[in-house]
Amino acid sequence: MVKVLGIMGSPRRDGNSEILLSRALEGAAAAGAEVKRIRLAGLNISGCTECNDCYEDGSCSTADDMDRVYAALEWADRILLSSPIFFMGLPSQTKAMVDRTQRYWALKYVLHKPFPRLPEAPPRYGSFIGVGATKGKRLFDGAILTLRYFFDAIGAEPREDLYLLIRKVDEKGEIMERAAELDAAYKMGKALAKL
Ligand SMILES: Cc1cc2nc3c(=O)[nH]c(=O)nc-3n(C[C@H](O)[C@H](O)[C@H](O)COP(=O)(O)O)c2cc1C
């Protein structure tokens, strides 16, 4: 059974990205996946301090709720982040989580060790649901670039072909009026689980 982790990147509970994430996880579950969800805004996650302790053995010496995210990331075969765009990038809560995966970057590029997984684990893929209020062509460019490096650090292939990027949603829950996009989220979750 493939394991799908949904990471809720918005500080706004029951907002557009959370609704879309729920649809995607429903799709993944319908495809037979085991599903877990983590809400970053409810956790206490400090930023990376670049102490470089992780260069020694790949572990992080900052003790906080990121331990729960590390465990979930190591559990998952598919990582699906759902997040709004804030100032053309990821919200600070989500970016803090990304920065704290520096320990896996160090494991890969400093210590030349594989991501901690069982040898029989299925291939690992990453996907993204992004929402924003405006319609700018480059609205998601910053987030996509960050996620390319995030997924690389955690040993997951970014599946940009499955990314769902939704413009012109702003009010809380406004996405409920967009049936086609809710359906696209469901299908994306299903496809991610089936890869
Ligand atoms: C601090 C802040 C910054 C934002 N920056 C942008 C932005 O740069 N571009 C944009 O299109 N929308 C921006 N928005 C709007 C959100 O992306 C939009 O309201 C989104 O639907 C929120 O998703 P949520 O309901 O999942 O929290 C911003 C909102 C906030 C609160």
Side-chain angles (χ1 to χ4, degrees):
M1 202 187 243
V2 78
K3 297 169 183 157
V4 179
L5 173 67
I7 303 178
M8 175 41 202
S10 173
R12 185 156 72 170
R13 194 180 266 264
D14 301 325
N16 299 311
S17 34
E18 181 149 44
I19 292 166
L20 288 160
L21 181 63
S22 297
R23 290 297 163 105
L25 294 179
E26 280 164 29
E34 189 183 348
V35 163
K36 215 179 247 187
R37 177 200 304 238
I38 210 154
R39 186 185 277 109
L40 296 177
L43 301 177
N44 171 30
I45 300 175
S46 309
C48 173
T49 60
E50 203 175 358
C51 65
N52 291 349
D53 283 358
C54 57
Y55 285 23
E56 302 298 320
D57 62 1
S59 66
C60 180
S61 50
T62 301
D64 60 13
D65 291 342
M66 190 62 197
D67 287 347
R68 285 158 60 182
V69 183
Y70 291 140
L73 288 173
E74 291 176 24
W75 168 87
D77 306 315
R78 309 281 185 268
I79 298 98
L80 171 57
L81 173 71
S82 188
S83 175
I85 297 300
F86 280 7
F87 284 88
M88 301 306 279
L90 295 172
S92 52
Q93 297 86 345
T94 307
K95 185 57 162 54
M97 181 277 295
V98 168
D99 291 353
R100 289 287 297 288
T101 59
Q102 175 73 348
R103 57 172 289 204
Y104 298 123
W105 180 91
L107 200 64
K108 184 171 182 178
Y109 291 107
V110 180
L111 301 166
H112 306 291
K113 288 192 177 153
F115 189 86
R117 309 207 71 211
L118 296 172
E120 68 272 17
R124 228 160 119 78
Y125 297 110
S127 193
F128 175 54
I129 297 171
V131 296
T134 57
K135 58 177 172 59
K137 190 168 174 281
R138 306 193 64 189
L139 178 57
F140 299 104
D141 286 8
I144 289 172
L145 198 52
T146 299
L147 292 179
R148 204 170 289 163
Y149 289 85
F150 165 63
F151 286 132
D152 178 70
I154 64 168
E157 184 189 328
R159 291 300 301 248
E160 292 180 18
D161 55 321
L162 294 180
Y163 285 12
L164 189 61
L165 307 173
I166 301 179
R167 293 172 169 82
K168 291 163 81 175
V169 271
D170 198 12
E171 296 304 318
K172 184 174 171 180
E174 196 183 328
I175 196 68
M176 288 302 283
E177 291 154 27
R178 311 252 297 251
E181 268 129 349
L182 295 172
D183 189 48
Y186 183 87
K187 287 186 176 136
M188 183 265 244
K190 212 169 188 176
L192 187 65
K194 283 182 167 174
L195 282 175

